[in-house]
């Protein structure tokens, strides 16, 4: 599959970077150490593929036989750790909003690529006649890493709260399995991945935007702090200075503890 090799590999690397970034940001928000950040980042990026391989009896999973995705995830997490370690003020800066938007797009691309790759892996393993299994493999490849991340972080998995993310993966997997009944063209993979991206790219609430959910919560906290700061200063000017100043100082301490 020439198109698969030439196009989908770099797309999968892009998705790996986006997924690893989201896992790392959740770990930062949970105030985990470097090892915890690496574990959550890597498991978010490659955990879905690992679950897929275990389900179809591919032992050891592909991530251990060809760890290029693991290395890509590791390097992504390491860069983020060093960046926020020596530039902690970036977590509360306006740059995070732009970063969040970019990661949201890359996350959608990764979800589309991983979903159709999961289906394709099932076909290559000899399960082409088991349509439900193929759909499940595609979906678990796309969202499995995020589920493992949320469980390890002690949170309710995002896909159980915001169904759009899972629906995007399910729709793409179903379309690809349907197209496989007529052709196994690389363009069928591409069309199915584009469907996932089109559904997933729809604006989601900032505080929980799929794999990038940990980023949005941080940005929202900063915006809330700025609003509280403005309210406190306005109250002070209106003659309620003591109460306004106390509210401002409390919000200030909370934000500093949150972004450290």
């Amino acid at each position: 599959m020439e198109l698969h090799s030439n196009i989908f590999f770099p797309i999968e690397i892009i998705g790996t970077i986006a997924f690893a970034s989201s896992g790392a940001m959740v770990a930062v928000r949970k105030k985990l150490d470097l090892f915890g950040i690496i574990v959550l980042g890597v498991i978010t990026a490659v955990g879905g593929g690992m679950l897929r391989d275990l389900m179809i009896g591919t032992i050891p999973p592909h991530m251990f036989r060809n760890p290029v995705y693991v290395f890509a995830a590791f390097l992504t997490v390491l860069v983020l750790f060093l960046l926020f370690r020596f530039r902690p003020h970036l977590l509360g800066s306006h740059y995070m909003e732009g970063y969040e938007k970019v990661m949201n797009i890359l996350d959608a691309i990764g979800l589309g690529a991983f979903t159709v790759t999961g289906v394709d892996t099932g076909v290559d393993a000899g399960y082409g006649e088991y349509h439900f299994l193929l759909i499940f493999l595609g979906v678990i490849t796309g969202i499995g890493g995020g589920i493992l991340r949320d469980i390890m972080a002690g949170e309710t998995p995002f896909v159980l709260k915001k169904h759009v993310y899972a629906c995007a993966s399910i729709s793409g997997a179903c379309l690809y399995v349907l197209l496989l009944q007529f052709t196994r063209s690389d363009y069928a993979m591409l069309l199915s991945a584009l469907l996932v991206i089109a559904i997933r790219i729809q604006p989601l609430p900032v505080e929980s935007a799929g794999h990038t959910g940990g980023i949005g919560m941080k940005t929202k906290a900063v915006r809330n702090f700025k609003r509280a700061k403005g309210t406190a200063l306005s109250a002070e000017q209106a003659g309620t200075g003591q109460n306004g100043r106390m509210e401002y100082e409390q919000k200030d301490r909370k934000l500093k503890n949150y972004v450290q």
Side-chain angles (χ1 to χ4, degrees):
M1 288 191 174
E2 185 177 353
L3 182 63
H4 186 195
S5 302
N6 295 338
I7 295 182
F8 271 87
F9 176 73
I11 290 178
E12 289 170 350
I13 292 295
I14 291 174
T16 298
I17 293 173
F19 283 19
S21 299
S22 74
M25 293 303 296
V26 170
V28 169
R29 179 164 55 85
K30 290 290 184 178
K31 299 181 179 179
L32 303 185
D33 60 12
L34 176 58
F35 181 73
I37 295 174
I38 291 174
V39 170
L40 244 59
V42 172
I43 202 66
T44 305
V46 300
M50 179 184 67
L51 292 176
R52 173 203 65 212
D53 290 343
L54 292 176
M55 288 186 61
I56 60 178
T58 302
I59 305 295
H62 186 69
M63 60 173 286
F64 296 108
R65 292 183 292 163
N66 183 20
V68 60
Y69 300 106
V70 177
F71 291 150
F74 174 78
L75 290 177
T76 300
V77 172
L78 190 60
V79 169
L80 285 176
F81 173 79
L82 294 176
L83 180 63
F84 292 128
R85 176 72 174 180
F86 295 104
R87 295 289 187 273
H89 64 277
L90 292 177
L91 284 171
S93 70
H94 64 279
Y95 295 110
M96 290 304 298
E97 293 189 16
Y99 172 81
E100 177 186 332
K101 292 177 181 178
V102 172
M103 285 296 109
N104 194 46
I105 295 174
L106 298 184
D107 181 81
I109 295 174
L111 180 64
F114 288 143
T115 297
V116 296
T117 300
V119 174
D120 216 42
T121 301
V123 174
D124 289 338
Y127 299 103
E129 297 180 357
Y130 301 90
H131 300 161
F132 178 71
L133 174 61
L134 294 179
I135 294 172
F136 190 84
L137 291 176
V139 174
I140 202 64
T141 304
I143 69 175
I147 293 176
L148 292 177
R149 174 204 65 199
D150 293 339
I151 292 175
M152 295 179 69
E155 299 179 352
T156 302
F158 170 80
V159 296
L160 301 182
K161 298 184 293 183
K162 299 294 180 181
H163 65 276
V164 174
Y165 201 81
C167 286
S169 183
I170 293 172
S171 299
C174 289
L175 177 61
Y176 188 37
V177 170
L178 177 63
L179 293 177
L180 285 176
Q181 309 311 307
F182 305 97
T183 176
R184 199 183 172 187
S185 167
D186 289 323
Y187 297 101
M189 292 185 68
L190 187 59
L191 180 62
S192 302
L194 289 175
L195 175 63
V196 176
I197 296 172
I199 297 175
R200 167 63 183 86
I201 207 67
Q202 298 300 316
L204 295 177
V206 179
E207 64 271 19
S208 55
H211 276 280
T212 59
I215 305 169
M217 295 184 68
K218 188 80 66 178
T219 306
K220 184 181 180 183
V222 174
R223 287 200 296 264
N224 289 341
F225 164 71
K226 292 179 178 178
R227 285 197 296 267
K229 179 179 178 181
T231 301
L233 293 178
S234 298
E236 185 176 20
Q237 294 172 355
T240 57
Q242 186 64 29
N243 292 335
R245 177 57 59 182
M246 291 177 62
E247 179 184 355
Y248 165 72
E249 291 176 351
Q250 290 175 356
K251 294 289 185 180
D252 186 35
R253 285 194 297 269
K254 289 182 180 180
L255 180 66
K256 288 180 179 179
N257 291 334
Y258 185 71
V259 299
Q260 287 176 351

